[in-house]
């Protein structure tokens, strides 16, 4: 049995220290979320890199955690003792327990099933489920997942490569002839000479098969290219309705980080992956937005860069509200840079999924680097932290609701020329101040986008319904393909509890009326 030892974060992460010192002592002592949720640090054992790359609550009541260094350990959440299940994995970035109780892990080079054949608590069989995708050796070619549907199909998401580096001397899979010459792409160690070659590949590139795609791996072992157009999809999840959700990260062709609801055949916006689409003939640097507009499926939600998220991570569905305090069926999403979690409240309109994002639990007690999530049967949310090679943190947090009711936004939906905002508690007759604006983002090959067509939206009317829980706010009009920012100032319920999450962003893809 491996006994835990607490880690000191201060010396290891200057970025965390910078975040912590930006918050006053008074704010640290009065984080309002701590009136409703407890946040505990879970000790990590010695001898492993404390970056958590995967978390999965198992059917036997334990928790599987994969670590950046290739270890996979099992935690008993009652005793907090750890035991080793597998080792030697290559940058595992997710775990899923299959129907047999085996653990399936996405490594950089393959999807692997780990089986404890003799029931001694350690994996004896490392079974390759799929390696039917290419690898050039580029540092940015991560593989995330898996997510699993009710039929046992596994889904993984593949990063594109970055032109901050080239490719290795030996690669796996065919090399795409629409990319720069393979021999030139191998000369990246001479950074000055490589600069022009790298630029001709595109900011992010897909020179080996299916980088920037989601792959579906069937129980029979077939690997199917499922959807394209992704850049850095560090978050893949399937809900109880077998819907596939994926987050992506801001960058070239992605003005701000999105959340996607993915169906087979979708193109989600980043064109590097199209080099592996049948019949595609344009080089990546020749592609212009007009080539893509008709193909591109809009995101269901957008995370304003630097305000709500910088690098969103894994989505996970909320559970029984009696256990965690939020309505069941929403998504909770993490972020690498921001010290808050994020709620996504869906609002399907005429067959188009869209909805609202807003901050959830935040503060230094939570911290940054919130990468992987799992719920245990007692209703606790376990948060695994990581920093990859960029901003982030280490360790595991356990978040538990203390059962105290609080004021939050339950639902945001469209009404004619406005929005209906449903609260969890009755509101007073004196209505809060509401400020609204809308904007969009450029769709272009440049890295990210400023806010475009930023417009103040005057509030025409606001009124409460008979239950005092639904506030209807109307404007002169609603505009499609705009992100609406709604700020609700100084809102409290009838018991003087403050609104937890008083700023939200509604992604209006399609009007209802």
């Amino acid at each position: 049995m491996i006994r835990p030892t607490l880690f000191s974060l201060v010396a290891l992460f200057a970025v965390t220290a910078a975040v912590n010192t930006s918050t006053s002592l008074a704010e640290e002592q009065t984080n309002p979320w701590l009136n409703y949720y407890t946040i505990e640090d879970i000790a990590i054992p010695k001898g492993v890199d404390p970056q958590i790359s995967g978390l999965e609550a198992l059917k036997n009541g334990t928790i599987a955690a994969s670590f950046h260094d290739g270890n996979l350990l099992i935690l008993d959440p009652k005793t907090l003792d750890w035991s080793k299940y597998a080792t030697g994995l290559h940058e595992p970035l997710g775990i899923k327990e299959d129907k047999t109780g085996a653990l399936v892990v996405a490594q950089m080079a393959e999807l692997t099933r780990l089986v404890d054949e003799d029931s001694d608590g350690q994996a004896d069989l490392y079974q390759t489920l799929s390696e039917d995708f290419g690898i050039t050796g580029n540092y940015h070619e991560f593989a995330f997942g898996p997510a699993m549907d009710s039929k046992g199909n596994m889904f993984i998401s593949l990063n594109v490569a970055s032109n901050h580096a080239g490719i290795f001397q030996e690669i796996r899979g065919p090399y795409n002839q629409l990319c720069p010459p393979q021999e030139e792409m191998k000369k990246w160690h001479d950074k000055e000479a490589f600069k022009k070659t790298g630029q001709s590949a595109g900011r992010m590139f897909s020179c080996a098969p299916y980088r920037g795609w989601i792959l579906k791996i069937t129980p029979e072992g077939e690997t199917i290219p499922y959807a394209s157009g992704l850049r850095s999809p560090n978050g893949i999840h399937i809900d109880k309705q077998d819907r596939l959700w994926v987050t992506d990260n801001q960058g070239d062709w992605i003005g701000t980080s999105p959340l996607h609801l993915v169906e087979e055949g979708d193109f989600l916006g980043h064109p590097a992956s199209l080099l592996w689409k049948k019949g595609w003939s344009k080089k990546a640097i020749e592609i212009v937005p007009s080539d893509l507009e008709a193909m591109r499926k809009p995101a269901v939600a957008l995370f304003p860069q630097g305000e709500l998220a910088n690098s969103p991570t894994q989505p996970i569905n909320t559970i029984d509200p009696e256990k965690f305090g939020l309505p069941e069926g929403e998504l909770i999403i993490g972020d690498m840079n921001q010290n808050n979690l994020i709620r996504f409240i869906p609002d399907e309109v005429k067959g188009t999924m869209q909805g609202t994002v807003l901050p959830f639990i935040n503060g230094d007690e939570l911290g940054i680097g919130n990468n992987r999530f799992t719920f245990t049967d007692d209703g606790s949310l376990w948060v695994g932290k990581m920093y990859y090679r960029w901003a982030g943190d280490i360790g595991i947090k356990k978040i538990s609701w203390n059962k105290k009711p609080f004021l939050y936004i339950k639902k945001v939906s469209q009404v004619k020329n406005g929005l209906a905002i449903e609260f969890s508690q009755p509101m007073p007759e004196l209505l809060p101040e509401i400020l609204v604006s809308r904007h969009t983002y450029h769709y272009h090959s440049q890295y990210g986008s400023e806010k475009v067509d930023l417009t103040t939206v005057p509030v025409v009317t606001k009124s409460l319904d008979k239950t005092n829980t639904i506030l209807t706010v109307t404007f002169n009009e609603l505009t499609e393909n705009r992100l609406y920012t709604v700020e609700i100032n100084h809102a409290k319920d009838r018991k003087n509890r403050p609104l937890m999450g008083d700023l939200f962003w509604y992604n209006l893809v399609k009007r209802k009326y």
Side-chain angles (χ1 to χ4, degrees), residues 220-410:
E220 296 75 33
E222 182 183 8
T223 300
I224 301 169
Y226 189 79
S228 63
L230 293 164
R231 179 182 176 274
S232 190
N234 178 26
I236 182 166
H237 170 69
I238 290 179
D239 65 19
K240 291 181 179 179
Q241 291 77 45
D242 274 349
R243 297 180 298 188
L244 176 61
W245 302 88
V246 177
T247 60
D248 207 349
N249 277 221
Q250 184 219 40
D252 59 318
W253 293 101
I254 301 178
T256 199
S257 298
L259 171 68
H260 296 292
L261 178 59
V262 184
E263 297 175 304
E264 188 167 9
D266 283 346
F267 169 68
L268 301 167
H270 195 285
S273 57
L274 293 176
L275 272 63
W276 299 101
K277 180 181 173 66
K278 289 182 180 179
W280 189 264
S281 60
K282 268 196 170 185
K283 294 181 179 180
I285 60 169
E286 297 172 348
I287 297 171
V288 295
S290 58
D291 296 328
L292 308 173
E293 288 286 7
M295 303 167 50
R296 181 172 64 128
K297 183 178 182 178
V300 301
L302 296 171
F303 307 100
Q305 181 74 8
E307 298 176 53
L308 185 63
N310 289 61
S311 298
T313 61
Q314 178 192 339
I316 187 172
N317 277 106
T318 49
I319 58 172
D320 182 348
E322 296 298 318
K323 289 186 174 183
F324 196 67
L326 293 177
E328 188 169 2
E330 296 181 2
L331 294 176
I332 294 175
I333 303 161
D335 186 73
M336 296 300 294
N337 299 61
Q338 301 289 329
N339 66 346
N340 58 260
L341 302 181
I342 301 163
R343 294 170 60 201
F344 169 69
I345 306 173
D347 183 36
E348 188 169 352
V349 174
K350 297 181 179 179
T352 296
M353 183 62 74
Q354 53 198 24
T356 296
V357 288
L358 69 166
F360 184 41
I361 296 168
N362 63 11
D364 292 340
E365 297 82 4
L366 173 69
I368 64 174
N370 302 303
N371 185 48
R372 296 291 181 259
F373 304 92
T374 193
F375 277 106
T376 46
D377 286 340
D378 65 353
S380 297
L381 177 65
W382 298 69
V383 182
K385 293 172 171 287
M386 196 170 179
Y387 63 92
Y388 293 97
R389 301 167 177 87
W390 298 277
D393 210 333
I394 58 173
I396 296 176
K397 302 276 188 178
K398 178 185 176 184
I399 302 175
S400 305
W401 181 42
N402 64 13
K403 311 303 182 185
K404 292 181 181 178
F406 62 100
L407 177 62
Y408 62 87
I409 294 172
K410 289 182 67 175

Side-chain angles (χ1 to χ4, degrees), residues 36-249:
Y36 309 107
Y37 290 89
T38 60
I39 303 175
E40 305 172 57
D41 285 299
I42 302 301
I44 306 295
K46 289 182 177 179
V48 296
D49 178 351
Q51 296 185 74
I52 308 301
S53 59
L55 276 180
E56 174 82 339
L58 307 181
K59 292 189 281 285
N60 65 7
T62 61
I63 299 172
S66 62
F67 293 77
H68 186 250
D69 62 6
N71 285 296
L72 196 157
L73 307 183
I74 304 297
L75 172 67
D76 183 331
K78 295 180 181 178
T79 65
L80 298 183
D81 287 330
W82 292 87
S83 58
K84 184 170 288 188
Y85 184 81
T87 189
L89 302 172
H90 185 189
E91 199 149 34
L93 292 177
I95 308 171
K96 186 58 63 176
E97 183 179 24
D98 72 11
K99 295 180 180 181
T100 71
L103 301 184
V104 182
V105 177
Q107 300 189 68
M108 181 169 277
E110 66 173 52
L111 182 66
T112 310
R113 187 168 178 260
L114 306 171
V115 185
D116 177 10
E117 294 187 303
D118 58 6
S119 301
D120 68 347
Q122 295 189 18
D124 311 291
L125 175 65
Y126 292 54
Q127 178 186 14
T128 300
L129 297 182
S130 176
E131 56 181 2
D132 294 335
F133 54 92
I135 299 175
T136 69
N138 186 276
Y139 76 96
H140 206 260
E141 289 181 338
F142 304 111
F144 302 108
M148 183 176 72
D149 69 14
S150 62
K151 298 178 181 178
N153 296 300
M154 296 283 177
F155 296 81
I156 60 174
S157 53
L158 302 179
N159 250 38
V160 290
S162 167
N163 73 1
H164 284 175
I167 67 174
F168 280 20
Q169 292 298 314
E170 294 185 20
I171 69 171
R172 186 175 77 189
Y175 185 83
N176 198 295
Q177 297 307 304
L178 293 172
C179 287
Q182 186 171 351
E183 290 306 313
E184 294 301 314
M185 290 292 286
K186 292 177 180 178
K187 297 176 181 178
W188 58 278
H189 292 288
D190 183 345
K191 294 193 179 298
E192 191 60 36
F194 179 72
K195 188 176 295 184
K196 185 176 180 179
T197 302
Q199 290 172 347
S200 67
R203 176 65 179 81
M204 314 300 289
F205 61 88
S206 179
C207 294
Y210 306 122
R211 309 313 309 186
W213 287 70
I214 293 170
L215 301 182
K216 174 182 176 181
I217 298 93
T218 70
E220 296 75 33
E222 182 183 8
T223 300
I224 301 169
Y226 189 79
S228 63
L230 293 164
R231 179 182 176 274
S232 190
N234 178 26
I236 182 166
H237 170 69
I238 290 179
D239 65 19
K240 291 181 179 179
Q241 291 77 45
D242 274 349
R243 297 180 298 188
L244 176 61
W245 302 88
V246 177
T247 60
D248 207 349
N249 277 221

